[in-house]
């Protein structure tokens, strides 16, 4: 079997046991990239030179008998909104087309300490605003399962890279579903951790109170391993939770006996595609068969999540994106008559239509006279949604939902109507609103053979239970074994 | 339209964005439909509901007042489009 | 200013806090270095960075609040104020909007009015913490503006007064009292010329008897007492003249050129002041316990007005002297240290208020940079009091001390300035002078008192001023009255 086909856990073991060299692993992955990247276009920047240099360094250490970390020598891809010192970090925007950070994000430092090798920066929706990766200024990433379709978004590049074996794991960011929805569209595992579990320092902010970095991987086990490395308190992030490090791989037990899974039947009704519904029902049956208790739950306010989300997220974004003014970094218009003209031209040229739309929406909901009606009210509804979930978790361990109401759609299908695009996020945004952890795992295929993801939502900092249940599902189904045959 | 063209012009000014006539039309339409959708929140009773300030129950996250080295100036100015005399330059704003 | 109008003044004072590091990162706050050398990704607003609040900022703001009789918020938060300007790297300033750390305080100030001094209580609306902005420098050569981000995110407190002041004198008195309190607390070095203490003046006028406020203007960034005084006189007169002409006052932001003595409206910074404040999601609320507040309260230093009372009581100094010495903590410290070395408070107070103030003014330095240290100052007074040197010599020694920083004993010794109090030595010279000036003796006898003065002068000249003047006088009279 080609080396790139292995899982992260397997390849890390092979490197450690010196069955393969890191160089060989890199060769395999880069030849895979050469083979399929022209069709998939998952990467904005490839770090071939840096990767090989680091491979030499790590191999030398390993050969000297040193420990090179749990991810020692494993090629990892990074979403292009996570700052990498000395390597372009563009947010897939013309605004940051040539931006080179001077510092590393905390997660980058963590991964580096664990021995990971960064092989490239992945494509995304511009500033993580979108659900299809179509708003990228750089390129159009294709879904490995159907090149006519979107990979989902906003972390579409990371999901497509894992689905097509162009990396063993990847980092994404999830503000309203940006890890889980593309994981679902591409049939990989994607985890959005509890807000505060993973440091946001170095993640280029979209919506500060919703953003969270998380891993993409081929299996639940690999996901747990990645989480081990990136989770943990960071004193550079005020909102980072002061909790101790855990070994999430210990939670990976193949049983759901004694666990209760909540089903919000009422919520998972409207707008859902029949095939997704079937897969969802099938998942419920699977869990039942495995011995879990299934419990109907009522989440009265969850249906307001999407409206709440679009108010809070855009408000924060409008402020977070103010710094792109053409002065200290980023795109500056070539001619202007004064400072105001410089601002307006640089920003109008540097941002794409979706980003502009959200900046304006956010500005609108914060502007004089509208704050109470929109922003404040949304934060109040947010409180109600959080209480809803809290109550639900009094009686169940996790909540099971589809990740997205439909499977991957065709390019351009939803770009004309932004609201329709936003509706793709209906099952994912409640999780961000409440700051909870959630995982999307392969859960079936539609009649055209496109992947369907199922989503498990955990209680705050309940990643262990979440991973255990996801692991059990994975071990007892074979959806994750199917690989895209178009590439 | 729940959002008027004038309002879109106003928020574009606040956001430092220029809009073409076509963009103005499209955004007026799009923002209106999103705001219409968001208006569903107005039907919810939120009396006595505290707005969420933070997801986590955090308070008093401070750092010690201890100096650490700053960055080299070259790094701080590295991404600036124009610079002079160790500073970033912008069109005249001070008299 | 016309008698039939009343001027309404409120001040917004910005004080840079004397912390070692900036408000949200570990860069130094040191003033006066090369541009953009005290910067990091956080204070320059680079993508992906996050703020972490400096604990000293909270402590210093609470100190300022307690010293100005404010209510301290048990729950407070920080907010973003959004606007575009090249001095604001994130395009928002982290400040406090609806829940400031301190509110509802006041200060009692002594105003030097035209008809004498009077006391007045000025309300303090609020004190909140926020970050400073970059420095913008005009490049005369290229015509561009240069951005120096060293000052970005230096911590500030903004102290907002009630519109309680009615004259330039009251505003200056308020500002002086506030400056002195902040210095006493050591929360700000209050160097107005460096901009670490500056103020915005909100001003409106109305006909006396009118109860509604007129439209106010805001004049930004005044950084000397004189500028505040002059601006208020200028702006009040401008508004009155405008109203008398039948014109209108626009609510606008203005600047004042103190050199030319004129104010002008700034070109609009933002089309509208729609700052879209919202709670800063990257920072946690500040929740202060009773213990925390009580602890700061219990450790507050003696405030200037208390110290002044004490000086009057303990050292029997006149009110005026006590006021002069306690206005600045540094001066009070200098005074207090000096009197521990030589206990003559009144004489020492006179030296400080006279010669020291004059020299400091000439040299444009503050007392902490004074070349004369308290110990040496005390020694000088001691030498004088003990009659080792004359007061004339003392002045000479003082000048030398200020120039060289040497101790007075050393100067006296090196230059042989010890006062001649030896009776026989003085007698010899006095006798010689009398012999050499017979005409003066005649004049004296004829009742010309001036002649005595001349003879004293001659003796002093002979002794290079070192003779004990009291003894010289006595001996001269003795000889003159004998002969």
């Amino acid at each position: 079997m080609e080396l790139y086909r292995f899982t992260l856990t397997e390849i890390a073991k092979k490197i450690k046991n010196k069955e393969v060299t890191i160089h060989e692993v890199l060769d395999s992955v880069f030849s895979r990239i050469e083979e399929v990247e022209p069709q998939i276009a998952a990467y904005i920047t490839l770090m071939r030179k840096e990767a090989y240099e680091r491979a030499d360094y790590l191999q030398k250490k390993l050969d000297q008998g040193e420990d090179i970390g749990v991810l020692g020598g494993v090629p990892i891809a990074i979403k292009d909104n996570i700052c990498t010192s000395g390597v372009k970090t563009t947010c897939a925007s013309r605004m940051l087309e040539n931006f080179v950070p001077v510092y590393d994000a905390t997660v980058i430092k963590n991964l580096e300490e664990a021995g990971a090798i960064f092989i490239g920066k992945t494509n995304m929706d511009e500033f993580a605003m979108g659900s299809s990766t179509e708003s990228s200024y750089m390129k159009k990433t294709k879904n490995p399962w159907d090149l006519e379709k979107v990979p989902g978004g906003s972390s579409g590049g990371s999901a497509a890279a894992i689905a097509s074996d162009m990396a063993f794991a990847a980092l994404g960011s999830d503000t309203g579903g940006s890890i889980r929805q593309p994981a679902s569209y591409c049939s990989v595992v994607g985890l959005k951790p509890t807000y505060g579990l993973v440091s946001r320092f170095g993640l280029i902010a979209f919506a500060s109170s919703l953003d969270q970095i998380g891993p993409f991987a081929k299996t639940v086990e690999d996901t747990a391993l990645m989480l081990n490395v990136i989770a943990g308190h960071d004193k550079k992030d005020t909102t980072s939770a002061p909790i101790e490090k855990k070994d999430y791989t210990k939670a990976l037990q193949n049983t759901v006996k004694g666990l209760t899974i909540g089903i919000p039947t009422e919520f998972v009704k409207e707008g859902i595609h029949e095939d997704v519904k079937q897969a969802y029902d099938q998942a419920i049956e699977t869990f039942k068969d495995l011995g879990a208790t299934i419990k109907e739950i009522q989440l009265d306010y969850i249906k307001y999540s999407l409206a709440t989300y679009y108010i809070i997220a855009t408000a924060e974004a409008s402020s977070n994106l103010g710094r792109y003014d053409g002065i200290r970094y980023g795109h500056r218009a070539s001619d202007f008559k004064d400072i105001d003209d410089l601002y307006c031209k640089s920003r109008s040229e540097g941002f794409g239509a979706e980003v502009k739309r959200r900046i304006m929406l956010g500005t609108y909901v914060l502007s004089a006279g509208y704050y109470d009606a929109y922003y404040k009210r949304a934060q109040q509804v947010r409180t109600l949604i959080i209480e809803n979930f809290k109550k639900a978790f009094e009686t169940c361990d996790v909540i099971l939902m589809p990740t997205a109401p439909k499977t991957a759609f065709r390019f351009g299908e939803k770009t004309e109507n932004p609201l329709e695009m936003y509706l793709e996020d209906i099952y994912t945004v409640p999780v961000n609103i409440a700051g909870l952890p959630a995982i999307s795992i392969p859960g079936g295929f539609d009649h055209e053979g496109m992947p369907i993801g199922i989503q498990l939502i955990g209680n705050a900092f309940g990643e262990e239970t979440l991973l255990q249940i996801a692991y059990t599902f994975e071990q007892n189904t074979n959806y994750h074994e199917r690989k895209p045959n178009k590439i | 339209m729940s959002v008027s063209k004038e309002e879109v012009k106003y928020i574009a000014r606040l956001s430092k964005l220029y809009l073409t006539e076509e963009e103005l039309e499209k955004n007026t339409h799009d923002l209106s439909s999103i705001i219409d959708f968001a208006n569903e929140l107005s039907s919810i009773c939120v009396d006595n509901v505290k707005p969420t300030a933070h997801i986590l129950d955090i308070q008093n996250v401070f750092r010690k007042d201890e100096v650490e080295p700053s960055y080299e100036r070259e790094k701080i100015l590295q991404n600036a489009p124009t610079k002079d005399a160790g500073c970033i330059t912008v069109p005249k704003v001070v008299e | 200013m016309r008698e039939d109008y009343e001027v309404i003044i409120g001040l917004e004072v910005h004080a840079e806090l004397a912390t070692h590091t900036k408000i949200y990162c570990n860069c130094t706050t040191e003033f006066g270095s090369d541009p953009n050398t005290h910067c990091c990704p956080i204070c320059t607003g680079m993508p992906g960075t996050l703020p972490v609040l400096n604990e000293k900022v909270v402590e210093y703001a609470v100190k300022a609040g307690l010293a100005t009789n404010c209510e301290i918020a048990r729950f407070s938060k920080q907010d973003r104020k959004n606007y575009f300007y090249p001095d604001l790297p994130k395009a928002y300033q982290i400040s406090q909007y609806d829940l400031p750390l301190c509110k509802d305080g006041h200060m009692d100030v002594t105003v030097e009015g035209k008809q004498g001094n009077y006391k007045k209580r000025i309300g303090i609306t609020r004190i909140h913490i926020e970050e400073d902005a970059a420095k913008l420098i005009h490049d005369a050569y290229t015509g561009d503006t240069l951005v120096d981000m060293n000052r970005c995110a230096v911590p500030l407190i903004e102290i907002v007064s009630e519109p309680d002041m009615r004259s330039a004198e009251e505003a200056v008195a308020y500002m002086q009292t506030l400056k002195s309190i902040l210095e006493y607390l050591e929360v700000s070095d209050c160097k107005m010329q460096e901009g670490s203490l500056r103020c915005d003046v909100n001003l409106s006028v109305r006909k006396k008897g009118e109860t509604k406020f007129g439209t106010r203007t805001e004049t930004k960034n005044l950084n000397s007492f004189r500028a505040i005084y002059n601006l208020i006189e200028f702006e009040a007169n401008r508004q009155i003249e405008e109203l008398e002409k039948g014109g209108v006052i626009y609510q606008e932001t203005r600047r004042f050129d103190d050199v030319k003595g004129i104010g002008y409206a700034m070109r609009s910074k933002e089309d509208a002041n729609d700052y879209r404040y919202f709670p800063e999601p990257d920072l946690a609320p500040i929740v202060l316990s009773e213990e925390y507040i009580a602890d700061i309260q219990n450790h507050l230093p003696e405030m200037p007005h208390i110290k002044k009372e004490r000086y009057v009581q303990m050292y029997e100094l006149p009110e005026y002297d006590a006021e002069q010495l306690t206005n600045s903590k540094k001066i009070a410290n200098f005074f207090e240290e000096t009197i521990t070395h030589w206990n003559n408070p009144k004489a020492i107070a006179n030296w400080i208020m006279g010669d020291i103030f004059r020299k400091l003014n000439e040299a444009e330095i503050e007392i902490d940079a004074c070349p004369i240290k308290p110990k040496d100052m005390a020694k000088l007074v001691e030498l004088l009091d003990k009659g080792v040197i004359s007061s004339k010599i003392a002045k000479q020694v003082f000048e030398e001390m200020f120039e060289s920083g040497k101790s007075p004993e050393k100067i006296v010794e090196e230059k042989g300035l010890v006062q001649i109090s030896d009776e026989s030595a003085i007698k010899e010279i006095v006798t010689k002078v009398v012999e050499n000036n017979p005409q003066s003796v005649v004049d004296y006898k004829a009742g010309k008192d001036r002649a005595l003065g001349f003879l004293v002068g001659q003796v002093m000249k002979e002794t290079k001023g070192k003779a004990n003047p009291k003894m010289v006088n006595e001996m001269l009279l003795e000889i003159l009255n004998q002969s």
Side-chain angles (χ1 to χ4, degrees):
Chain A
M1 186 160 89
E2 296 287 350
L3 291 177
Y4 64 74
R5 288 281 185 203
F6 287 98
T7 67
L8 184 161
T9 309
E10 289 163 351
I11 205 77
K13 203 169 156 195
K14 282 182 187 297
I15 293 169
K16 198 172 198 166
N17 295 341
K18 300 189 183 163
E19 290 170 48
V20 294
T21 66
I22 302 172
H23 211 278
E24 284 164 358
V25 175
L26 272 190
D27 283 347
S28 172
V29 169
F30 276 112
S31 69
R32 175 66 175 171
I33 290 172
E34 265 164 39
E35 181 193 350
V36 299
E37 174 66 3
Q39 301 162 71
I40 305 295
Y43 287 99
I44 291 174
T45 304
L46 282 170
M47 298 163 64
R48 184 187 286 267
K49 189 166 161 282
E50 295 92 331
Y52 275 102
E53 278 169 12
R54 189 154 156 77
D56 290 345
Y57 165 78
L58 289 168
Q59 188 68 54
K60 199 176 280 172
K61 267 179 84 167
L62 185 66
D63 292 344
Q64 285 163 358
E66 282 180 59
D67 181 13
I68 56 167
V70 289
L71 301 179
V74 179
I76 305 282
I78 305 293
K79 188 177 180 178
D80 211 21
N81 60 350
I82 298 172
C83 286
T84 42
S85 183
V87 177
K88 262 190 218 175
T89 301
T90 69
C91 281
S93 178
R94 185 183 179 196
M95 182 57 85
L96 292 180
E97 199 176 359
N98 297 305
F99 176 69
V100 180
V102 296
Y103 75 99
D104 275 323
T106 298
V107 288
I108 294 297
K109 287 188 178 166
N110 292 342
L111 286 171
E112 214 154 58
E113 272 167 37
I117 297 182
F118 307 121
I119 52 168
K121 305 291 298 279
T122 58
N123 197 21
M124 54 187 278
D125 279 299
E126 185 181 5
F127 282 100
M129 296 176 182
S131 308
S132 66
T133 312
E134 289 170 286
S135 75
S136 168
Y137 173 73
M138 304 297 173
K139 48 177 68 174
K140 201 155 98 178
T141 299
K142 271 72 103 192
N143 191 315
W145 294 84
D146 181 346
L147 301 178
E148 303 292 307
K149 288 181 174 168
V150 301
S154 67
S155 316
S158 287
I162 303 306
S164 55
D165 290 318
M166 289 196 282
F168 291 93
L171 287 187
S173 67
D174 191 316
T175 306
S178 283
I179 291 175
R180 292 159 288 153
Q181 184 255 26
S184 160
Y185 280 14
C186 294
S187 201
V188 297
V189 181
L191 172 71
K192 182 240 165 235
T194 305
Y195 185 82
L197 184 67
V198 177
S199 170
R200 291 186 293 119
F201 190 81
L203 168 66
I204 298 183
F206 160 14
S208 312
S209 78
L210 302 159
D211 294 343
Q212 221 8 229
I213 292 172
F216 284 93
K218 298 177 185 178
T219 67
V220 175
E221 187 182 14
D222 291 358
T223 305
L225 197 60
M226 284 289 284
L227 188 62
N228 276 355
V229 175
I230 61 172
H233 181 245
D234 179 13
K235 62 180 181 6
K236 285 184 173 159
D237 177 359
T238 299
T239 63
S240 154
I243 53 170
E244 283 189 26
K245 273 226 168 229
K246 284 180 186 166
D247 181 358
Y248 294 98
T249 59
K250 286 194 177 140
L252 302 176
Q253 293 173 49
N254 189 352
T255 174
V256 288
K257 288 209 175 72
L259 293 171
T260 305
I261 296 173
I263 308 291
T265 313
E266 191 66 31
F267 182 56
V268 186
K269 231 172 167 175
E270 273 165 64
I272 188 170
H273 189 275
E274 191 46 42
D275 293 352
V276 177
K277 180 80 174 73
Q278 258 182 29
Y280 179 54
D281 290 341
Q282 181 56 50
I284 296 171
E285 286 309 311
T286 304
F287 279 122
K288 252 189 215 164
D289 293 346
L290 291 167
T293 307
I294 304 296
K295 186 173 184 297
E296 288 256 354
I297 54 166
Q298 196 72 28
L299 297 162
D300 296 331
Y301 291 102
I302 196 173
K303 60 173 182 277
Y304 300 111
S305 297
L306 203 58
T308 304
Y309 172 81
Y310 274 94
I311 291 168
I312 295 170
T314 57
E316 292 178 2
S318 72
S319 174
N320 285 331
L321 272 64
R323 69 189 66 197
Y324 308 107
D325 58 6
I327 293 184
R328 292 159 305 283
Y329 41 73
H331 177 75
R332 185 185 288 188
S334 52
D335 72 313
F336 40 81
K337 51 180 200 289
D338 56 26
I339 187 73
D340 199 63
D341 198 34
L342 182 157
Y343 285 150
C344 295
K345 271 199 187 129
S346 302
R347 288 168 63 81
S348 301
E349 293 169 6
F351 292 138
E354 182 60 28
V355 173
K356 286 183 201 171
R357 181 156 45 235
R358 295 202 195 190
I359 288 174
M360 285 193 284
L361 182 57
T363 303
Y364 180 85
V365 299
L366 287 176
S367 65
Y370 289 120
Y371 180 87
D372 283 357
Y374 293 106
Y375 188 78
K376 188 178 167 205
R377 178 168 281 265
Q379 292 288 19
Q380 287 173 311
V381 176
R382 187 175 194 181
T383 302
L384 296 172
I385 294 166
I386 292 169
E387 283 168 5
N388 257 197
F389 274 111
K390 266 195 186 141
K391 197 145 178 282
F393 282 116
E394 283 171 12
T395 58
C396 54
D397 297 291
V398 293
I399 295 167
L400 179 67
M401 280 207 263
T403 308
K406 296 179 179 120
T407 55
F409 48 89
R410 285 175 192 286
F411 287 103
E413 205 178 306
K414 293 175 198 276
T415 40
E416 271 314 290
N417 185 345
L419 193 55
E420 206 179 303
M421 182 80 91
Y422 298 173
L423 286 167
E424 284 303 301
D425 301 334
I426 187 145
Y427 298 144
T428 47
V429 294
V431 167
N432 302 75
I433 291 291
L436 301 172
I439 192 168
S440 177
I441 48 176
F445 294 88
D446 70 4
H447 63 279
E448 287 176 33
M450 291 305 287
I452 295 167
I454 61 156
Q455 177 181 218
L456 290 158
I457 302 168
N459 204 347
F461 302 104
E463 273 81 359
E464 286 157 301
T465 313
L466 197 62
L467 287 164
Q468 181 190 334
I469 297 174
Y471 180 75
T472 305
F473 184 85
E474 182 190 72
Q475 293 303 304
N476 293 281
T477 56
N478 53 14
Y479 308 119
H480 64 287
E481 284 162 14
R482 206 146 125 189
K483 289 278 178 185
N485 54 14
K486 302 271 160 59
I487 47 165
Chain B
M1 291 282 174
S2 55
V3 182
S4 71
K5 255 191 190 181
E6 284 314 306
E7 282 181 306
V8 176
K9 276 186 192 167
Y10 172 70
I11 57 175
R13 286 295 307 141
L14 276 181
S15 311
K16 299 290 180 202
L17 291 170
Y18 287 148
L19 296 180
T20 63
E21 193 52 39
E22 198 185 326
E23 287 172 321
L24 178 63
E25 291 282 345
K26 170 114 172 79
N27 276 290
T28 305
H29 173 269
D30 289 349
L31 293 185
S32 289
S33 69
I34 300 164
I35 287 295
D36 285 341
F37 173 69
N39 279 337
E40 70 177 29
L41 298 190
S42 65
S43 65
I44 307 171
C45 174
V46 290
D47 297 349
N48 304 318
V49 177
K50 257 182 80 176
T52 297
H54 282 281
I55 285 293
L56 300 172
D57 189 19
I58 48 165
Q59 59 189 43
N60 297 344
V61 182
F62 301 136
R63 31 163 273 274
K64 295 247 175 279
D65 185 28
E66 289 162 1
V67 176
E68 284 172 18
S70 293
Y71 273 54
E72 283 170 27
R73 180 156 72 192
E74 292 65 48
K75 296 248 170 188
I76 293 300
L77 304 182
Q78 176 183 297
N79 284 287
T82 57
K83 50 208 149 187
D84 185 22
C87 291
I88 294 166
T89 60
V90 297
K92 181 175 173 178
V93 287
V94 280
E95 316 300 317
Chain C
M1 204 178 77
R2 289 172 51 140
E3 286 300 313
D4 52 340
Y5 276 90
E6 180 177 42
V7 53
I8 314 287
I9 304 157
L11 299 185
E12 291 172 19
V13 177
H14 288 93
E16 281 184 357
L17 296 179
T19 53
H20 300 305
T21 64
K22 294 187 176 183
I23 184 165
Y24 302 119
C25 67
N26 296 83
C27 286
T28 177
T29 54
E30 202 182 298
F31 180 80
S33 297
D34 286 345
N36 295 305
T37 54
H38 293 170
C39 301
C40 75
I42 299 169
C43 55
T44 58
M46 286 192 194
T49 55
L50 297 168
V52 184
L53 181 59
N54 181 345
E55 61 181 4
K56 280 280 174 213
V57 171
V58 177
E59 186 190 318
Y60 285 7
V62 170
K63 273 188 178 170
L66 289 171
T68 52
N69 310 293
C70 285
E71 202 180 290
I72 308 300
R74 270 44 176 183
F75 182 94
S76 174
K77 67 176 171 69
Q78 294 166 88
D79 302 273
R80 290 187 186 178
K81 179 183 183 181
N82 297 285
Y83 63 95
F84 288 87
Y85 205 63
D87 65 1
L88 194 64
K90 301 188 295 298
Y92 57 82
Q93 179 193 31
I94 305 178
S95 181
Q96 295 193 284
Y97 183 53
D98 55 340
L99 297 172
L101 266 175
C102 320
K103 60 172 185 168
D104 298 336
H106 64 261
M107 272 187 337
D108 293 322
V109 306
T110 305
V111 188
E112 290 179 35
K114 288 177 177 106
Q115 273 94 39
N117 291 3
Y118 62 96
K119 285 202 192 302
K120 179 160 182 171
R121 174 162 292 188
I122 314 277
I124 288 174
T125 316
R126 57 186 280 161
I127 301 178
H128 68 252
I129 56 174
E130 61 184 27
E131 55 181 335
D132 209 344
K135 205 168 121 192
L136 300 179
I137 310 147
H138 178 59
D139 184 338
Y141 183 67
T142 62
D144 285 343
T145 292
L146 304 172
V147 186
D148 171 9
M149 297 183 285
N150 282 349
R151 202 179 61 187
C152 277
V154 166
L156 295 175
I157 46 174
E158 179 174 334
I159 302 137
V160 183
S161 84
E162 290 289 301
D164 284 349
M165 288 155 274
R166 294 291 177 272
S167 68
E169 287 82 8
E170 289 185 6
V172 168
Y174 168 84
M175 194 64 186
Q176 279 171 336
T177 308
L178 183 60
K179 176 171 186 274
S180 127
I181 288 177
L182 296 177
E183 282 174 346
Y184 267 73
L185 294 169
E186 293 176 350
V187 299
S188 172
D189 60 16
C190 294
K191 289 184 179 156
M192 296 182 85
Q193 69 282 8
E194 287 179 10
S196 70
L197 185 72
R198 50 193 197 261
C199 107
D200 304 340
V201 176
N202 290 309
L203 188 148
S204 64
V205 297
R206 65 181 172 192
K207 273 262 169 67
K208 277 191 180 149
E210 180 69 56
T211 48
K212 280 206 317 214
F213 287 130
T215 304
R216 67 182 166 87
T217 60
E218 183 182 15
T219 304
K220 290 264 185 204
N221 269 330
L222 297 155
N223 59 3
S224 74
F225 296 125
R226 199 188 67 169
I228 294 167
Y229 189 94
N230 292 344
L231 169 272
I232 290 172
E233 297 276 300
F234 169 89
E235 180 62 12
N237 283 320
R238 184 191 73 86
Q239 290 191 13
I240 293 166
E241 273 170 33
E242 194 63 44
L243 292 174
E244 285 295 311
K245 275 196 301 198
V248 262
I249 306 300
Y250 296 100
Q251 186 168 344
E252 63 192 359
T253 306
R254 301 175 60 88
R255 288 225 183 258
F256 183 64
D257 183 331
D258 194 31
V259 178
K260 293 184 186 142
I262 49 165
Y264 52 92
M266 280 169 77
R267 269 176 285 160
S268 179
K269 201 169 179 177
E270 182 90 24
D271 308 59
N273 287 336
D274 191 341
Y275 293 126
R276 291 151 284 137
Y277 279 101
F278 73 104
E280 168 57 275
D282 290 330
L283 288 165
I286 302 163
V287 181
L288 302 181
S289 66
E290 301 304 321
E291 295 74 40
Y292 177 89
I293 297 165
D295 189 51
I296 292 180
Q297 177 83 63
N298 293 337
H299 289 90
L300 284 186
E302 184 182 41
M303 283 295 112
H305 63 285
I306 308 282
K307 201 183 266 293
K308 183 184 144 192
E309 291 304 310
R310 185 164 65 82
Y311 281 16
V312 172
Q313 300 287 325
M314 252 172 97
Y315 308 129
E316 295 174 334
L317 293 177
E319 283 256 343
Y320 177 81
D321 291 16
E323 174 98 30
Q324 292 287 305
L325 293 173
T326 54
N327 268 342
S328 142
K329 190 181 193 179
K330 288 171 184 168
I331 290 164
N333 285 349
F334 189 95
F335 170 73
E336 287 179 27
E337 201 189 326
T338 309
I339 60 170
T340 61
H341 296 290
W342 183 249
N343 190 17
N344 185 350
K346 178 60 189 150
I348 289 167
N350 287 343
W351 276 99
I352 294 174
M353 296 185 308
D355 296 80
I356 296 229
F357 280 6
R358 174 178 53 83
K359 295 298 282 185
L360 293 178
N361 264 334
E362 282 169 17
E364 290 181 349
I365 54 172
E366 300 229 25
I367 200 156
D368 47 358
C370 181
I372 301 178
K373 298 301 159 211
K375 197 169 166 240
D376 293 331
M377 189 65 239
K379 197 74 200 172
L380 182 67
V381 180
E382 185 185 342
L383 292 175
L384 185 59
D385 286 354
K386 286 184 172 163
V388 177
I389 55 172
S390 66
S391 58
K392 196 176 169 208
I393 293 290
K395 297 272 175 192
Q396 203 182 313
V397 174
F398 175 85
E399 295 291 326
E400 174 72 25
M401 285 165 74
F402 199 91
E403 291 310 313
S404 66
K406 284 183 188 162
S407 75
E409 298 110 304
K410 188 144 193 204
I411 295 167
V412 167
E413 194 199 306
E414 278 175 5
K415 306 215 160 168
L417 295 175
V418 178
Q419 179 166 266
I420 305 169
S421 300
D422 174 1
E423 209 167 323
S424 61
I426 295 178
K427 194 149 199 169
E428 196 181 307
I429 298 164
V430 168
T431 311
K432 200 174 108 195
V433 165
V434 170
E435 280 169 16
N436 292 345
N437 295 281
Q439 185 56 44
S440 294
V441 178
V442 173
D443 288 352
Y444 175 78
K445 302 254 179 191
K448 290 186 182 166
D449 284 346
R450 262 177 33 216
L452 178 63
F454 174 77
L455 291 169
V456 171
Q458 290 304 304
V459 177
M460 296 314 271
K461 199 174 163 189
E462 284 289 318
T463 59
K464 295 196 175 95
K466 289 186 286 184
N468 183 328
K470 202 169 154 236
M471 291 172 73
V472 171
N473 238 335
E474 282 169 8
M475 272 181 221
L476 262 175
L477 283 171
E478 201 184 314
I479 293 174
L480 288 171
N481 294 336
Q482 270 170 15
S483 56

